[in-house]
Amino acid sequence: MSGDEPQRRIRLCADDYGISPGVNRAIRDLIERERINATSVMVVGTAAGRDEVEALKVACARHPHCAIGLHLTLTAPFHPLTLHYRPLDGGLFLPLSKMLRASLSRRLEPEMIFDEVTAQIAAFVERFGRAPEYVDGHQHVQIFPQVRGAFLTAVKTAAPDAWVRQCGRSRHPLTQQFATPKALLLDLLSAGFRRHAARAGIRFNPAFAGAYDFAQSDFAALMQGFLNGLPDGGLIMCHPGFVDEILLALDPLTDQREREYEFLAGDSFGDMLVANRVTLG
């Protein structure tokens, strides 16, 4: 990249704070190193109790550029906060594939989604003493059909100053657009989400990056690809963490979290930000 390129300020958001102590510890360390500037909290997670919340508040107080958001969770293996939430699978939220199919076939009840989103925002407020600065979704559930309308209404009502995450990329050549099926699906679902958010007057990030096939292990190359073409104000999602027994019991994304952490904590990431004229703001 030439030195004439303008400086870009982006959000680098670590998802899943609250899923396990090891993930929490890695995220706090990156906040202290000023290698991320946002993290979203799963209030239904097993490691989102008072001590873990207080530790995050302390880290962010020392680094006030770091935003704290709510990571709305509506998929297994987690439990809803509202007793009447349906549909369930063995008392848990539906697995991701079933949740997506139910939303596409319009078999969800938006009123229950609204109530659950509202309850998770209230839980965040109770623990942090304020509303989330932004709201996104675990496994991108916030952009699903039927979910998005209820989600945006709940955010507008319970956290009116928050912005929300849309998951559509910047424009790329067609060969790149179709190279990652997951990212292409997110592009398609995000188009409707952005229209709903704009009509509701809710702010959202102009572009998104960070989706990839987790079998890919070269996170440095992936990060360079995420930075390419990301506009000022764009957002990159990441999932750093240290693997522990709680994480192993809850989530299949394990070793890759440690690879992400190692890269983000290392010198080469700092050099990459400088070379690409990117600041975390």
Side-chain angles (χ1 to χ4, degrees), residues 183-233:
L184 178 60
L185 176 61
L186 296 179
D187 287 342
L188 295 172
L189 293 175
S190 290
F193 180 86
R194 291 193 300 270
R195 288 193 297 270
H196 278 72
R199 285 198 296 268
I202 299 175
R203 295 174 296 125
F204 52 85
N205 52 301
F208 171 83
Y212 67 98
D213 177 354
F214 292 123
Q216 296 173 264
S217 59
D218 188 352
F219 193 66
L222 288 163
M223 179 58 72
Q224 183 59 64
F226 300 153
L227 290 172
N228 290 340
L230 190 72
D232 186 61

Side-chain angles (χ1 to χ4, degrees), residues 206-266:
F208 171 83
Y212 67 98
D213 177 354
F214 292 123
Q216 296 173 264
S217 59
D218 188 352
F219 193 66
L222 288 163
M223 179 58 72
Q224 183 59 64
F226 300 153
L227 290 172
N228 290 340
L230 190 72
D232 186 61
L235 182 148
I236 299 176
M237 165 190 72
C238 61
H239 295 85
F242 300 126
V243 177
D244 56 24
E245 292 301 317
I246 293 176
L247 182 66
L248 289 170
L250 291 173
D251 196 84
L253 180 56
T254 54
D255 293 345
Q256 185 65 5
R257 291 183 189 264
E258 295 195 341
R259 284 191 283 269
E260 290 194 19
Y261 167 79
E262 288 168 6
F263 173 73
L264 294 173

Side-chain angles (χ1 to χ4, degrees), residues 122-138:
F124 183 101
V125 172
E126 191 275 329
R127 294 175 202 187
F128 286 89
R130 59 174 176 82
E133 294 174 62
Y134 66 96
V135 187
D136 57 31
H138 185 53

Side-chain angles (χ1 to χ4, degrees), residues 48-110:
R50 182 169 59 185
D51 290 347
E52 295 286 352
V53 165
E54 287 302 316
L56 177 59
K57 289 165 69 175
V58 168
C60 289
R62 286 196 289 261
H63 303 275
H65 66 285
C66 187
I68 305 176
L70 169 67
H71 200 49
L72 173 72
T73 304
L74 297 176
T75 53
F78 300 98
H79 298 267
L81 296 183
T82 48
L83 295 177
H84 63 279
Y85 182 91
R86 298 291 185 277
L88 296 173
D89 187 342
L92 305 175
F93 290 119
L94 296 180
L96 174 60
S97 59
K98 289 185 178 180
M99 183 65 175
L100 179 58
R101 287 197 299 271
S103 73
L104 292 172
S105 59
R106 307 193 68 79
R107 290 185 284 111
L108 299 176
E109 297 186 39

Side-chain angles (χ1 to χ4, degrees), residues 152-164:
L152 290 167
T153 301
V155 171
K156 184 77 171 178
T157 303
D161 295 326
W163 55 274
V164 296

